[in-house]
Amino acid sequence: MNDVKHCYSYFPILIDKNLYGKTRDEVFELLQKQNILGRRYFYPLISQFSTYRGLESSQPGKMPVAERITQEVLCLPIYSNLDITIVDEICNIING
């Protein structure tokens, strides 16, 4: 994979409520309470926009993987001068 270039602008994690015990949105809210801004990526799923909602291919259940991922992915803050204390705080919140 020598031809792959990373931009390191996102640090996505997947949160499976059944494995983790909390939903992605619950973790998102815990981070927000500490003024840590994550991002619910692929949310809402584009097929839920009014422009596409009427298409047969966008009906619920037609894209099960995309529907699951849109409920699980959370991008954590990442940038060059992110203080290690904030990283520790993020880890503590996630590890609960």
Side-chain angles (χ1 to χ4, degrees), residues 13 20 22 27 31 74 76 89-96:
I13 62 172
Y20 182 63
K22 291 184 179 102
V27 175
L31 291 169
L74 178 64
L76 301 176
E89 190 173 350
I90 292 169
C91 292
N92 288 334
I93 290 168
I94 291 171
N95 288 327

Side-chain angles (χ1 to χ4, degrees), residues 42-82:
F42 304 119
Y43 178 82
L45 191 60
I46 197 168
S47 62
Q48 296 170 343
F49 292 0
S50 60
T51 306
Y52 304 103
R53 213 176 286 144
L55 298 173
E56 184 179 335
S57 61
S58 71
Q59 298 307 302
K62 295 282 187 171
M63 297 178 280
V65 174
E67 291 167 6
R68 178 177 54 82
I69 294 300
T70 195
Q71 295 298 317
E72 293 181 0
V73 68
L74 178 64
C75 289
L76 301 176
I78 187 168
Y79 47 93
S80 62
N81 62 346
L82 181 62

